[in-house]
């Protein structure tokens, strides 16, 4: 029987595996650098995320194996009569665990976490080069009501 | 001669005018509540934003008059080899000051602020019901590479 998928906050010892997952992806392979030693920029970002009360880096695992990751950012906004939103970013599943529902479990976990913290909205953007991802999120109830714009500096 | 547009962090005394601007908008009028006294949820959100080192609520003003507002959130991410992004949200211009370039000045100010803080990306989402806003941001250099998805809780 397959072991249950469980979730916890990421620890520094997970960073190598997390970066491996970020890089092992059509778009990620173009922009990440998974090498030994890891570029120090990843460790700096990791520490900034995990030391911020409004950011949670969450890993999914089975037994001893990390099989997925996502970052959830909680942000207070004035719009919609004031309140908190959860933004999901950097969702990845280990290649050995794809098509087994890990992504679905990650997002469902994030939604529950957002509900627990009193958020009124969960949001994310997905690259238009990932049509499968769009369908995946729509199946989970998300509506593509917005354009997501980026400006590189 | 028109007075220069200037910028500063919002203060609690600006909140009434800010909510008025948020509500005075095609989409905002459906979901905001600008009334006296202001719903306390706005004040709670205001205090959460202004007490968070990674959030800046910025007003544009001319003389004594508040003419625009935006929120900038700075977030560390592991993706793109680790680094910080600036997310812009809740951009509004006072109805008396529209079509005078206030929105452009707000966004340019946010971009400069993001550069100064070492962000590698500025991002935002815009409702697909605002085609003019999409063109506005594209003129400023933003690329609509992503779908923006929302899930209401």
């Amino acid at each position: 029987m397959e072991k249950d998928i469980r979730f916890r906050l990421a620890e520094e010892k997970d960073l190598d595996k997390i970066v491996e997952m970020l890089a092992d992806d059509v778009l990620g392979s173009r922009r990440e650098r998974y090498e030994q030693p890891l570029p120090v920029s990843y460790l700096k970002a990791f520490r900034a995320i995990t030391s911020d009360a409004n950011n949670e880096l969450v890993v999914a695992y089975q037994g001893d194996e990390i099989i997925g990751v996502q970052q959830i950012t909680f942000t207070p906004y004035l719009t919609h009569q004031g309140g908190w939103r959860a933004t999901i970013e950097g969702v990845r599943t280990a290649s050995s665990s794809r098509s087994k529902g890990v992504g679905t479990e990650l997002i469902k976990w994030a939604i529950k976490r957002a509900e627990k913290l009193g958020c009124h909205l969960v949001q994310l953007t997905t690259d238009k080069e990932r049509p499968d991802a769009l369908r995946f999120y729509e199946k989970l109830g998300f509506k593509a009501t917005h354009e997501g714009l980026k400006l590189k500096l």
Side-chain angles (χ1 to χ4, degrees), chain A residues 44-103:
Chain A
K44 281 176 68 178
F46 180 89
R47 289 179 176 167
I49 295 165
T50 53
S51 65
D52 180 349
N54 289 332
N55 272 283
E56 293 184 355
L57 190 68
V58 176
V59 289
Y61 64 101
Q62 273 180 320
D64 292 337
E65 198 187 357
I66 303 284
I67 56 171
V69 64
Q70 66 186 346
Q71 180 175 343
I72 315 172
T73 305
F74 303 97
T75 313
Y77 284 116
L78 284 178
T79 47
H80 295 262
Q81 298 180 34
W84 288 76
R85 300 186 193 182
T87 304
I88 304 172
E89 167 68 24
V91 182
R92 295 290 187 286
T93 300
S95 52
S96 57
S97 299
R98 282 189 195 145
S99 310
K100 290 180 182 173
V102 180

Side-chain angles (χ1 to χ4, degrees), chain A residues 15 17 20 25 31 34 56-57 59 62 64 68 84 94 96 105 112 121 123 131-132 135 153:
Chain A
L15 185 58
K17 179 66 191 178
E20 186 188 352
D25 166 87
R31 60 194 183 203
Y34 178 58
E56 293 184 355
L57 190 68
V59 289
Q62 273 180 320
D64 292 337
W84 288 76
S96 57
E105 294 306 312
K112 274 192 202 152
L121 199 74
Q123 62 184 16
D132 290 353
R135 284 189 289 273
L153 299 180

Side-chain angles (χ1 to χ4, degrees), chain A residues 14 16 63 71 79 100 111 134 140 153:
Chain A
D14 308 320
D16 192 279
Q71 180 175 343
T79 47
K100 290 180 182 173
I111 293 169
L134 177 61
L140 284 162
L153 299 180

